[in-house]
Amino acid sequence: MYYRRKIDDFLAHWKADPMHKPLIVKGARQIGKTESILHFAKANYENVVYINFALEKKFMQILEDGYDVESVIKNISLADPTLKFIPDQTILLFDEIQENPDVATTLKSFKTDGRYDVICSGSMPGINYKKIHSNSVGAKTDYEMYSMDFEEFLWAKGYTQEQIDSILVHMLENKPFNDNELSVFKRLFLDYCVLGGMPDVVKLYIETGSFSGTLEVQKQIRLDYEEDVRKYAESSDQTRIISIYRSIPAQLAKENKKFQYNKIEKNARSREYTGCIAWLVDAGVITECHCLQFPELPLKGNVEESKYKLYYPDTGLLISALDEEAQEDLRVNKNLGVYRGALYENFVAEAFVKQGLGLFYYKKENSTLEEDFFVRTQNDLIPVEVKSNRDQSKSLSALIKNKNYSDISYGIKLGDCNVGHTNDIFTFPYFCAFKIKEYLKKREQKA
């Protein structure tokens, strides 16, 4: 069974645009890229030519005679004479292009030719995507895909768009959920946190109606990510890259979640590891949250390069990496608080990234003033606090009241609570995090 994904709407709009360019769908391994692209292609084209460079080595030589469309099609046909190329009715799908990144050079020719639509996809570890990008500047459209977000999970569970949109209505109207609504959405959210959004994990959970077997699938995905490191990274960096990836759960469990190299290896130096972090970010298997120098706009020109937090872009994979005792508690009791709120913080980071929001935080030296995340609208900077308990939001209140921070007029707190509003702080349950971007947009439109 195919589960609806957000890329479905993007692909429909892409095809409907008469000026559309060849498309590259990038993202981590096993997030559902191939399944979604094939589902779209079969439903919208009379003729689909699918080439997987990882599984079908006979297609590795299709560029032997050059990058022009005629030469490429000729060599594809030589490798498999059963494939057809019908102008204006054919889509070419080049999958696992990290195995043959020079294929991206053909996109300029396909764009100019215009007879065939082209979609490329694959996991993009490290240097491979940089090479693909440089070979196809101006001739492609990029789409970054992630594992399923909470909304896609709710679709898979059979919830209607009206039911899902009711969450946003509650947020915009500052209307608390009734006890039944709150209970149902909290239960679904906790299930989603433990599972994450990897399609194979979600499908197994829905088909069996239990968590049985999901942990084994998650662990295998993490092992596959590490295997990609050994396959694609420079040999001198492989051990460091894997060490960083494995250290993130323990780093997030600290009170100070700033990433520290000495937690990996004594006397480790940042310059030895910086490129390794970039490799993991490029591969889509970690996300980086930048520390602001000051809680003010602009954001991107206002970061301390040496300070950052690292998260997993799928909280289910993070949970699968915890010790067995924590696993047991989480899967049986859904007690996410056992990890000092790190799991909720990771979930919010994941939700923000999947909405296209940047990740930024603030921690003032020699002070208790710190904030978990910041998001922005056209005119405002909004601090976002993630609470694993019911303590007061002292830093959030201090930022709002401080006249030196003129970009901040209100804040958001996400916690184990209901919808509420007190002293310019808007409070939402954790599960509302996936609607924050839409909430801010509609709130600004109303202002």
Side-chain angles (χ1 to χ4, degrees):
M1 179 178 178
Y2 179 76
Y3 293 112
R4 177 185 173 192
R5 301 295 303 274
K6 291 188 173 176
I7 193 176
D8 299 344
D9 290 339
F10 175 85
L11 291 171
H13 287 116
W14 171 79
K15 186 178 189 302
D17 180 359
M19 302 299 291
H20 65 260
K21 302 176 182 178
L23 176 66
I24 294 184
V25 179
K26 59 178 182 173
R29 177 190 289 274
Q30 298 186 48
I31 57 173
K33 298 185 297 294
T34 300
E35 183 179 29
S36 294
I37 293 167
L38 279 171
H39 179 264
F40 161 77
K42 291 174 182 177
N44 289 276
Y45 291 85
E46 180 179 321
N47 189 45
V48 178
V49 175
Y50 175 73
I51 294 173
N52 185 313
F53 291 113
L55 299 178
E56 301 171 291
K57 299 301 181 184
K58 63 185 179 182
F59 292 111
M60 293 296 286
Q61 308 302 318
I62 63 174
L63 306 178
E64 284 293 297
D65 296 319
Y67 302 108
D68 62 285
V69 173
E70 293 298 338
S71 296
V72 172
I73 288 177
K74 181 195 74 173
N75 284 322
I76 291 174
S77 298
L78 283 172
D80 186 345
T82 67
L83 295 176
K84 298 180 295 182
F85 295 87
I86 307 170
D88 303 317
Q89 298 177 34
T90 298
I91 185 167
L92 280 77
L93 305 180
F94 294 124
D95 200 2
E96 303 289 1
I97 62 166
Q98 74 277 0
E99 299 287 340
N100 195 4
D102 281 345
V103 165
T105 307
T106 68
L107 299 186
K108 292 180 181 178
S109 297
F110 276 104
K111 177 180 178 292
T112 302
D113 182 275
R115 288 177 294 166
Y116 311 103
D117 285 348
V118 180
I119 299 180
C120 300
S121 64
S123 54
M124 308 295 189
I127 193 65
N128 286 292
Y129 185 70
K130 290 182 174 63
K131 185 175 183 180
I132 290 166
H133 177 71
S134 64
N135 286 354
S136 53
V137 173
K140 65 178 175 61
T141 297
D142 285 320
Y143 182 89
E144 188 152 11
M145 191 173 175
Y146 303 95
S147 63
M148 299 169 81
D149 68 8
F150 187 48
E151 185 165 24
E152 290 171 316
F153 175 76
L154 292 175
W155 289 340
K157 288 284 289 181
Y159 287 88
T160 67
Q161 194 62 51
E162 183 180 6
Q163 290 171 315
I164 297 169
D165 288 343
S166 72
I167 295 174
L168 180 62
V169 173
H170 278 275
M171 296 169 72
L172 290 167
E173 295 181 357
N174 196 36
K175 177 185 174 184
F177 294 93
N178 65 41
D179 290 344
N180 181 57
E181 291 171 324
L182 194 62
S183 174
V184 169
F185 284 125
K186 282 175 66 173
R187 174 178 52 79
L188 289 164
F189 165 74
L190 290 172
D191 283 354
Y192 172 71
C193 281
V194 173
L195 291 163
M198 289 294 176
D200 286 348
V201 176
V202 174
K203 285 178 183 177
L204 183 60
Y205 159 78
I206 290 175
E207 289 170 1
T208 63
S210 72
F211 291 100
S212 178
T214 58
L215 177 59
E216 288 71 24
V217 176
Q218 290 168 324
K219 286 183 175 179
Q220 186 59 53
I221 291 171
R222 288 190 292 107
L223 289 173
D224 289 344
Y225 285 173
E226 293 186 11
E227 186 58 34
D228 274 350
V229 175
R230 297 184 182 94
K231 185 174 183 179
Y232 296 110
E234 297 288 339
S235 56
S236 58
D237 290 334
Q238 290 176 7
T239 301
R240 293 192 184 105
I241 292 172
I242 292 173
S243 295
I244 290 170
Y245 184 66
R246 291 178 178 176
S247 77
I248 290 174
Q251 298 257 7
L252 289 175
K254 300 190 281 72
E255 194 66 35
N256 175 14
K257 296 178 179 62
K258 171 193 168 187
F259 191 82
Q260 296 172 292
Y261 295 103
N262 60 14
K263 300 297 181 183
I264 303 176
E265 179 185 2
K266 190 177 180 181
N267 300 321
R269 299 176 182 177
S270 62
R271 67 172 179 267
E272 298 171 339
Y273 283 86
T274 302
C276 301
I277 289 175
W279 194 99
L280 288 165
V281 171
D282 286 344
V285 299
I286 68 170
T287 52
E288 187 174 10
C289 183
H290 305 277
C291 183
L292 296 174
Q293 298 181 59
F294 308 100
E296 59 187 37
L297 298 173
L299 294 177
K300 291 187 177 179
N302 177 26
V303 298
E304 294 191 48
E305 299 292 343
S306 62
K307 293 182 181 179
Y308 42 83
K309 296 184 287 187
L310 300 179
Y311 298 101
Y312 278 12
D314 187 278
T315 303
L317 293 185
L318 175 67
I319 289 176
S320 74
L322 303 182
D323 57 80
E324 289 186 8
E325 291 76 16
Q327 283 282 340
E328 180 94 14
D329 198 8
L330 286 163
R331 290 176 182 272
V332 175
N333 301 316
K334 308 296 193 306
N335 181 17
L336 271 69
V338 297
Y339 239 58
R340 299 182 187 177
L343 300 179
Y344 287 119
E345 195 173 310
N346 195 97
F347 170 78
V348 172
E350 174 188 351
F352 282 8
V353 167
K354 289 177 177 179
Q355 292 169 79
L357 296 170
L359 295 183
F360 302 91
Y361 77 104
Y362 178 70
K363 182 172 176 57
K364 188 174 182 179
E365 293 293 340
N366 305 317
S367 170
T368 58
L369 184 62
E370 60 180 303
E371 201 53 72
D372 298 318
F373 299 103
F374 286 85
V375 291
R376 69 162 300 172
T377 63
Q378 188 69 30
N379 302 308
D380 293 313
L381 179 64
I382 301 98
V384 179
E385 187 157 297
V386 183
K387 299 293 286 187
S388 59
N389 52 46
R390 296 181 181 272
D391 292 347
Q392 290 186 333
S393 306
K394 295 179 180 179
S395 290
L396 193 53
S397 297
L399 287 167
I400 295 167
K401 292 175 181 177
N402 195 322
K403 294 182 179 178
N404 291 323
Y405 306 137
S406 58
D407 296 323
I408 299 172
S409 59
Y410 67 96
I412 292 173
K413 181 171 75 173
L414 295 164
D416 185 14
C417 55
N418 210 326
V419 175
H421 177 216
T422 306
N423 298 326
D424 296 317
I425 297 175
F426 294 87
T427 303
F428 303 120
Y430 296 116
F431 61 77
C432 293
F434 79 104
K435 285 290 188 182
I436 289 294
K437 184 175 182 179
E438 200 173 349
Y439 165 78
L440 293 174
K441 182 178 180 180
K442 290 185 177 296
R443 188 176 189 275
E444 190 169 54
Q445 289 172 348
K446 288 171 63 178

